[in-house]
Amino acid sequence: MRCPFCGNIDTQVKDSRPAEDHAAIRRRRFCPACGGRFTTYERVQLRDLVVIKTNGKREDFDRDKLERSIRISMQKRPIDPERIDQMISGIVRRLESMGDTDIPSKKIGEIVMEALARIDTVAYVRFASVYKNFQAADDFESFVHELRPHAAPEE
C-alpha cells in the first residue's frame, strides 16, 4: 500500500481488526520511510458496478463518493456513526445484489433516499434538496408538505 504522505510503496501493517459490523477489515499502517501512520479499510466487493449518469455518461461506482454525500446530509445530526456505516454497507450490498452491473444514478438516489427517510427526516430532506435539484424555497416547502400527514380541515 502506497504511503499517502511520501509515496513510498513499502508500508507495514501494524494492526488489523474487524470494522463496520464485521463488513470490513481496518488496518493501521506505518511507513518506515517517513514515519507516517495511516488507516486503510478492506471490503469485499461482489462485482464491479458502473453508474449510468442521467446524461448517459458511465463511471465506476465509488463507495467513498456515496459515503461522502450521505455524511454531508447527516452532518450535525444525532445519528450514531456506526449506524451510518451500516446503512452505507446495506445500500452497497443492495446495489451489488441487484443482478446488473450497470446501475442508473437515479436508482442509487432512490435507494439512498429510502434509507435516509427511515433514519432521519432532516437528512432525507437535505439529500433530496441536492438529488432533486431544488432551486427555491418553494421546492423545499412542497417537498416537506408531501412528507407531513395531511391534517383534516378544522370545522
Side-chain angles (χ1 to χ4, degrees):
M1 176 67 62
R2 183 179 303 275
C3 174
F5 306 112
C6 71
N8 179 29
I9 58 171
D10 185 29
T11 59
Q12 302 167 354
V13 174
K14 291 297 181 185
D15 180 45
S16 292
R17 64 181 66 175
E20 291 182 34
D21 195 26
H22 300 281
I25 301 292
R26 177 183 183 270
R27 300 194 194 281
R28 287 293 298 154
R29 295 181 179 267
F30 170 76
C31 176
C34 71
R37 294 181 181 272
F38 58 101
T39 303
T40 59
Y41 291 89
E42 181 180 319
R43 291 181 181 84
V44 172
Q45 185 174 335
L46 297 177
R47 57 179 63 170
D48 291 331
L49 300 176
V50 176
V51 178
I52 311 297
K53 303 295 229 174
T54 51
N55 65 4
K57 185 179 165 202
R58 301 165 60 89
E59 66 180 49
D60 291 337
F61 175 76
D62 182 356
R63 179 194 168 98
D64 293 333
K65 184 176 179 181
L66 173 70
E67 184 174 347
R68 277 191 308 275
S69 65
I70 289 172
R71 288 196 186 279
I72 288 169
S73 70
M74 293 192 147
Q75 260 182 340
K76 297 185 180 181
R77 299 298 302 149
I79 309 297
D80 181 24
E82 189 171 308
R83 184 150 187 225
I84 297 170
D85 292 338
Q86 289 172 352
M87 181 186 78
I88 293 166
S89 293
I91 291 169
V92 172
R93 276 194 305 276
R94 185 169 166 191
L95 294 171
E96 289 175 337
S97 64
M98 287 176 62
D100 195 4
T101 56
D102 294 352
I103 302 173
S105 60
K106 182 177 179 170
K107 183 67 178 169
I108 296 170
E110 290 167 0
I111 291 170
V112 170
M113 291 207 11
E114 196 179 290
L116 285 172
R118 287 192 306 266
I119 290 179
D120 187 77
T121 54
V122 172
Y124 173 65
V125 172
R126 286 177 177 172
F127 186 88
S129 71
V130 175
Y131 174 67
K132 293 182 178 274
N133 198 20
F134 291 1
Q135 298 296 314
D138 292 344
D139 297 334
F140 281 95
E141 188 177 339
S142 61
F143 186 77
V144 170
H145 181 72
E146 291 174 22
L147 290 177
R148 291 190 180 129
H150 299 289
E154 292 184 27
E155 296 177 24

